[in-house]
């Protein structure tokens, strides 16, 4: 079984810092996400984000270094296949293989230079979140107090991404930025790792209106396992994840719901859901509550349909 899709992990950030860590390891390392754990958990497609921590230079060079690690560490492991176009989504998971999509979390490192975007696209970047939590040259993030939207250069970034075939990820984007993008986007966009604000009131989570807008554009909502985006009362449990699933379903998002764990980006975890090898526990909890065709959609079918249709 390799049906599961995970829309966000930060293992490339850990590899940037600790280059002796082995992605093709058994999981006894500092990494949450390893090839073995993806296999154990039934994950058939994983998105790998290039996220540059605040204490490292946010330059094209650092982003290119992370992209090189995607090729030399992640894709070098047995059975891992790059996913760059729609047809790769199914092709990659034949014979038990695992597809790997490269994304850029935060456009800071591009420093507004279009050559850097084009080069990262050539290296496999197909998904892009314009900013992390703060403001940058392209837009404001969800935690930026002034709450600005897209800049003029940010609007150009949207156009450049759409013409290259890079899909826009609204997780971390400010609310105003979200609506600016919604207004101008010519292609479907998605949230890789955000939850429902009606269930947990946090600026990183999506309002009901935002979730409805993502459904309306035939986008995707990747619910995340970040404990403090799930509940105010930690430790978070798998039941807390289900409360967010239910909210998205109530809003009509049954065919737009997916998961983006944020493994390797978090220090605390949902109980029993600390790495990809534990996905079966979530599958079991979903199966106890929803019909099988919906569960298979949530765990992978919806995301595969979205990526197959929109990666060109
Ligand atoms: Zn993130």
């Amino acid at each position: 079984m390799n049906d599961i899709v995970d829309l966000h992990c930060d293992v490339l950030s850990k590899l940037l810092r600790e280059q002796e860590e082995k992605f093709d390891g058994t999981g006894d390392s500092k990494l949450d996400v390893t090839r073995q754990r993806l296999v154990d958990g039934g994950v058939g497609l994983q998105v790998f984000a290039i996220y540059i921590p605040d204490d490292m230079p946010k330059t094209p060079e650092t982003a290119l270094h992370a992209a090189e690690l995607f090729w030399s560490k992640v894709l070098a492991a047995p059975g891992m296949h790059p996913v760059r176009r729609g047809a790769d989504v199914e092709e990659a998971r034949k014979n038990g293989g695992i597809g790997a999509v490269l994304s850029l979390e935060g456009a800071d490192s591009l420093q507004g230079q279009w050559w850097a975007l084009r080069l990262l696209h050539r290296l496999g970047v197909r998904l892009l979140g314009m900013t992390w939590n703060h403001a940058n040259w392209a837009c404001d993030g969800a935690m930026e107090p002034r709450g600005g939207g897209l800049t003029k250069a940010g609007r150009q970034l949207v156009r450049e991404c759409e013409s290259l075939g890079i899909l826009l990820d609204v997780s971390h984007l400010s609310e105003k930025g979200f609506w600016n993008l919604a207004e101008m986007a010519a292609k479907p966009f998605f949230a890789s790792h955000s939850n429902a604000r009606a269930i947990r009131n946090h600026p990183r989570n999506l309002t009901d209106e935002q979730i409805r807008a993502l459904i309306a554009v035939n986008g995707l909502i990747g619910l995340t396992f970040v404990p403090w985006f799930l509940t105010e009362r930690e430790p978070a449990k798998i039941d807390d994840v289900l409360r967010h699933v239910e909210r998205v379903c109530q809003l009509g998002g049954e065919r737009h719901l997916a998961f983006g764990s944020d493994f390797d980006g978090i220090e605390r975890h949902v109980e029993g859901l600390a790495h990809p090898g534990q996905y079966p526990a979530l599958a079991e909890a979903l199966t106890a509550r929803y019909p099988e065709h919906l569960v298979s959609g949530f765990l992978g079918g919806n995301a595969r349909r979205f990526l197959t249709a929109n990666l060109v």
Side-chain angles (χ1 to χ4, degrees), residues 196-208:
R197 207 181 293 182
I199 303 298
R200 166 69 171 115
N201 187 8
H202 189 290
R204 270 284 283 105
N205 287 340
L206 300 163
T207 65
D208 286 352

Side-chain angles (χ1 to χ4, degrees), residues 8 10 49 51 105 132-133 171-172 192-193 204 226 229 262:
H8 189 83
D10 277 318
Y51 168 71
E105 183 177 30
W132 190 64
N133 286 334
S171 288
H172 287 288
S192 62
H193 59 306
R204 270 284 283 105
V226 179
F229 300 163
D262 214 1

Side-chain angles (χ1 to χ4, degrees), residues 295-308:
V295 174
S296 70
F298 301 161
L299 286 171
N302 294 341
R304 280 200 300 278
R305 195 171 56 244
F306 175 82
L307 294 171
T308 301

